[in-house]
């Protein structure tokens, strides 16, 4: 192995939860998984332009003809864990100008509300081992309306709805195919692929089905001469490769007994088509496409190459179904095709999935279990292999021409150390096929229920030396590693620790050591005045602010209620991590004191800051101009709710032990000084007494909750709005022309796409902490104005039910997520296929934005499996002496 190969081997071994040298011994079932994007064009990694216009540098029209440098993509795609050999699906309805090999959508500039997928597909099944994966796609029988989708969305403005594929009429009269692709493993290196195509139309129709096997092009960029190859051997495509040699893709005959034809080309850029230059092969990447669609002589007659497909041509009567079966395996010797073996393995893996999800949620009804399984499937299918060596990307490859000089200075130039080759949980595999640091942290919470080892790896990998910056910063996301995401890794680590049984303190210690660097970076970089009031800019909430907090006018700075509150919560989470570690290693006592002291300083700074408006009972951001004049941004958003999330309970014996250190934090936490307002009364729960520490006073918490639980403000039938509905009238920031906001329950009418729709943050879990620590006598009116007093556990349960209800049939049998779209809501072929969107309409719960398991929506898995109505004690369990 080369140095890079050895490092890759080591890292991927760790992805299985062990640091073994032998990846296959560590967890062989990870060897094959859904590691491909559904679309990879438009990512920063493929952009070698001088102006940084990633959307235009690799258009969809190039994707079929141009070899990727870092990515690969494919419909229903899987690959080996090193991302070298890929298997996916191509389709052709006989009318389209190109094969359907990847999902189509609009780039950010093309969409009237940003980037937008224009296809209909779903993830229906997924086991964490990838032993069962099921993907569904609805493919029009008419010509796919590529140009119409582009032109109509370009015509529409910010105040118009998006023009979707369903709106074009191509699914009318059922004139489409539903195509189900299922992978089922007989062993770690033996996979069956089932492709089931159903003709929903009123007439007989034909469909070309091309399961495709190819190598990611890793040779063109390094001048390698030992190219891998695919070749035909009897009824199989044989693989020759230094590590993957011996694999065979076997294809069964179609239902009518006809065998598919094998087609071969090379995964090389079609230089002649794209650039008018001589090509390196007569059979480039789009050779199979050109041959099937246009009859071109572009497939290799010698039946070998680096890309290959089996070509099935199915003719299916109206309403009927046909199945195609394949097998990718690495046998000790060639074995004959066994149709019954394929069906047996499919049946066995479906039984495994039924058992797995029944054990996860034994008390869930059929509909809630459907939500759980499809949400989990979205998580599983969103795994991707992520290769990105920033220094190589900035400088260019030795085998290719250097990029423009300006390319080296556009983005990520300060991250030359970043050298990623890891399996990551992506926000989704289409619109954001790159990691986002805080999305990944919340995804890890959901993953902890499914695969704790993988969840813990997700939280540790960004803290490793090949990701975390030497100055302590975490990379935000590929578009700009320098952006600032909320510091939620410590909070996520605690939650993952609890879900996994509260025993893996080695994991906590590993996370803690690297988070020390990140915490220091926050102190040094995001508090420039040293007054413990933190900024950070974006923090994921710019689209609900009248001010672009990442790009302020010259001389203007901002003190952020959410930035300060996130740092307070970070301090408390680190103190709890240290407390857990101090139970085994007393050397961590000093760290407990250090972080409690930091919390106290932030708490006191917030109390002095004026960010809390006592008249309104709410926290607001504040602008500071060059002369030191301050202007509160008096708009009620979730920014002003974040401070109530910073709450923790410190066992009284720990408080008394720390008091002997004679530090300010210990004195502040002493029961005799609890009248200072930042500490609730000492509470007893489960035989343990705690000092309940919070960033806000009980009165501030109650008054903020009054706004949060008001149906005319934040409380929606489907969760919490991001912006109070009271702002139906436009709010303008005094003295800052153009800085305005109003309540937009759906898509935004400004370039800050996403409007101020429903937001899904850690509010539910925080209310449970309050309830456990304050007791049942602490009640609030819920909803505000109803006259009904409820405990915070009851409030949390109601909020969780409202969120889960987005995907459940209502009294009329329709799911709010579909927004009343008749085809999605009523048609039997559509209504049980669920999507997990980036955000939701603030009033009716309709899904909006990116549609496939984006952002925090994965937390619905946590809400279903640890519902507030029956949740275990969520805070006290981490303390070993509480058990």
């Amino acid at each position: 192995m080369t140095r890079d190969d050895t490092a890759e081997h080591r890292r991927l071994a760790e992805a299985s939860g062990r640091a073994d040298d032998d990846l296959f011994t560590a967890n062989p079932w990870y060897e094959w998984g859904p590691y491909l994007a559904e679309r990879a064009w438009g990512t920063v990694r493929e952009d070698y332009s001088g102006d940084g216009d990633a959307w235009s540098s690799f258009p969809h029209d190039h994707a079929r003809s141009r070899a990727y440098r870092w990515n690969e993509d494919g419909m229903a795609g899987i690959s080996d864990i090193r991302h070298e050999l890929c298997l996916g699906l191509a389709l052709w309805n006989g009318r389209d100008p190109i094969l359907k090999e990847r999902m189509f959508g609009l780039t950010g500039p093309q969409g009237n509300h940003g980037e937008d997928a224009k296809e209909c597909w779903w993830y229906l099944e997924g086991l964490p081992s990838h032993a069962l994966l099921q993907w569904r796609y609805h493919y029009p029988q008419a010509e796919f309306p590529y140009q119409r989708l582009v032109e109509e969305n370009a015509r529409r403005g910010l105040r118009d709805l998006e023009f979707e594929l369903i709106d074009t009429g191509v699914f009318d009269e059922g004139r489409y195919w539903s195509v189900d692709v299922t992978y089922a493993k007989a062993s770690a290196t033996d996979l069956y692929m089932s492709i089931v195509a159903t003709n929903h139309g009123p007439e007989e129709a034909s469909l070309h089905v091309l399961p495709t096997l190819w190598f990611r092009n890793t040779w063109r960029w390094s001048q390698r001469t030992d190219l891998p190859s695919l070749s035909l051997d009897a009824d199989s495509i044989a693989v020759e490769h230094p590590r993957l040699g011996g694999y065979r893709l076997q294809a069964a005959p179609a239902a009518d007994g006809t065998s598919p034809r094998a087609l071969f080309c090379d995964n090389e850029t079609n230089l002649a088509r794209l650039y008018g230059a001589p090509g390196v092969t007569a059979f480039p990447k789009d050779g199979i496409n050109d041959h099937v669609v246009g009859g071109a002589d572009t497939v290799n007659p010698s039946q070998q190459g680096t890309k290959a497909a089996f070509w099935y041509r199915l003719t299916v009567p109206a309403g009927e179904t046909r199945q195609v079966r394949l097998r990718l395996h690495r046998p000790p010797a060639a074995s004959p095709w066994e149709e019954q073996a394929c069906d047996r393995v499919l049946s066995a893996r479906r039984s495994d999935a039924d058992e797995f999800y029944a054990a996860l949620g034994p008390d869930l009804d059929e509909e809630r279990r459907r939500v759980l399984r499809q949400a989990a499937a979205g998580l599983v299918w969103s795994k991707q292999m992520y290769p990105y060596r920033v220094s190589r990307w900035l400088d260019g490859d030795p085998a290719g021409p250097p990029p423009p000089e300006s390319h080296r200075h556009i983005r990520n130039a300060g991250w030359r150390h970043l050298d990623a080759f890891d399996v990551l949980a992506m926000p989704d595999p289409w619109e954001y096929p790159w990691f986002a640091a805080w999305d990944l942290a919340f995804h890890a919470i959901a993953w902890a229920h499914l695969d704790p080892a993988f969840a813990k790896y997700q939280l540790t990998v960004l803290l490793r030396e090949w990701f975390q910056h030497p100055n302590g910063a975490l990379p935000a996301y590929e578009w700009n590693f320098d952006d600032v995401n909320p510091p939620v890794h410590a909070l996520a680590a605690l939650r993952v620790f609890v879900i996994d049984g509260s025993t893996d303190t080695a994991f906590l210690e590993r996370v803690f050591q690297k988070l020390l660097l990140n915490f220091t970076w926050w102190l040094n970089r995001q508090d420039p005045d040293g007054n413990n009031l933190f900024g950070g800019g974006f923090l994921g909430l710019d689209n609900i602010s009248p001010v672009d907090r990442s790009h302020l006018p010259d001389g203007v700075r901002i003190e952020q209620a959410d930035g300060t509150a996130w740092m307070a919560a970070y301090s408390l989470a680190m103190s709890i991590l240290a407390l857990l570690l101090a139970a085994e290693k007393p050397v961590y006592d000093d760290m407990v004191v250090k972080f409690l002291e930091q919390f106290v300083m932030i708490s006191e700074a917030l109390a002095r800051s004026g960010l809390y408006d006592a008249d309104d009972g709410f926290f607001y951001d504040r602008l500071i101009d060059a002369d030191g004049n301050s202007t509160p941004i008096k708009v009620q958003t979730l920014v002003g709710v974040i401070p109530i999330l910073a709450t923790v309970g410190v066992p009284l014996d720990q408080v008394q032990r720390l008091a002997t250190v004679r530090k300010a934090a210990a004195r502040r936490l002493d029961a005799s000084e609890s009248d200072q307002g930042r500490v609730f009364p000492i509470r007893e729960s489960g035989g343990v007494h705690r000092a309940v520490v919070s960033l806000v006073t009980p009165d501030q918490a109650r008054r903020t909750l009054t706004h949060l639980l008001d149906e005319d403000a934040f409380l929606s039938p489907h969760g919490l709005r991001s912006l109070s509905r009271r702002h139906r009238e436009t709010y303008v920031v005094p003295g800052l022309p153009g800085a305005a906001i109003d309540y937009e329950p759906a898509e935004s009418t400004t370039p800050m796409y996403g409007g101020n729709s429903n937001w899904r943050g850690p509010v539910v879990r925080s209310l449970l902490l309050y309830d456990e620590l304050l007791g049942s006598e602490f009640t609030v009116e819920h909803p505000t104005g109803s006259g009904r007093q409820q405990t915070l556990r009851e409030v949390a349960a109601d909020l969780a039910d409202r969120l889960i209800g987005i995907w459940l049939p209502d009294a009329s049998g329709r799911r709010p997520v579909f927004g009343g779209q008749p085809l999605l809501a009523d048609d039997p072929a559509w209504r049980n296929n669920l999507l997990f969107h980036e955000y939701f309409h603030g009033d009716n719960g309709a899904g909006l934005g990116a549609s496939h398991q984006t952002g925090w929506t994965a937390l619905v898995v946590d809400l279903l499996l640890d519902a507030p109505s029956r949740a275990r004690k969520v805070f006290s369990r981490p303390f070993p002496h509480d058990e």
Side-chain angles (χ1 to χ4, degrees), residues 192 194 325 337-347:
Y192 287 93
S194 166
R325 298 179 177 89
W337 176 261
E338 296 182 38
E339 182 175 302
Q340 294 78 10
C342 176
D343 293 340
R344 284 198 304 271
V345 173
L346 283 167
S347 177

Side-chain angles (χ1 to χ4, degrees), residues 68 79 97 159 167 255 279 294 460 470 537 578 678 735 751 755 877:
Y68 291 113
S79 80
R159 295 190 177 275
D167 300 327
T460 57
R678 289 297 166 298
R877 292 177 66 250

Side-chain angles (χ1 to χ4, degrees), residues 159-290:
R159 295 190 177 275
D160 299 314
L161 296 175
E162 295 168 356
F163 185 62
E164 305 293 0
L165 182 60
I166 288 177
D167 300 327
T168 67
V170 292
F171 296 111
D172 292 353
E173 299 180 310
R175 295 182 184 275
Y176 66 92
W177 298 92
S178 65
V179 181
D180 277 61
V181 176
T182 304
Y183 295 100
K185 293 183 182 180
S187 73
T189 57
D190 189 355
L191 301 84
Y192 287 93
M193 181 184 190
S194 166
I195 306 169
V196 176
T198 300
N199 176 8
H200 290 267
E203 302 158 357
E204 182 180 83
S206 294
L207 179 66
H208 300 250
V209 178
L210 295 98
T212 304
L213 188 71
W214 73 98
F215 291 107
R216 181 168 67 94
N217 190 326
T218 58
W219 54 87
R220 186 58 52 195
W221 327 110
S222 58
Q223 296 179 316
R224 282 175 49 189
T225 57
D226 57 333
L227 270 64
S229 69
L230 305 171
S231 59
L232 187 64
D233 181 10
D235 66 341
S236 300
I237 295 172
V239 176
E240 292 186 25
H241 184 276
R243 279 193 292 268
L244 299 166
Y247 272 102
R248 303 170 66 86
L249 180 64
Q250 252 178 309
D256 61 3
T258 60
S259 295
R261 179 185 167 196
L263 306 174
F264 292 82
C265 65
D266 295 309
N267 187 16
E268 298 277 9
T269 298
N270 187 339
L271 296 172
R273 174 180 179 261
L274 297 181
Y275 309 113
V280 297
T281 174
F283 316 108
K285 179 178 178 179
D286 51 12
I288 293 173
N289 173 91
D290 293 352

Side-chain angles (χ1 to χ4, degrees), residues 286-306:
D286 51 12
I288 293 173
N289 173 91
D290 293 352
H291 179 76
V292 172
V293 174
D297 188 18
T298 50
V299 292
N300 193 336
S302 65
Q303 296 184 311
Q304 62 181 6
T306 51

Side-chain angles (χ1 to χ4, degrees), residues 749-767:
T749 59
T750 76
M752 299 302 295
Y753 300 119
N756 38 61
S757 316
N758 273 11
W759 180 86
R760 303 154 314 286
V763 173
V764 171
R765 195 62 53 189
S766 296
L767 292 178

Side-chain angles (χ1 to χ4, degrees), residues 444-446 448-449 452 494-502 862 866 872 877:
I445 295 173
H449 294 282
L494 280 171
R495 184 79 185 113
V496 168
F497 175 75
V498 171
I499 294 170
D500 188 41
S502 303
D862 188 49
D866 205 356
R872 302 180 295 266
R877 292 177 66 250

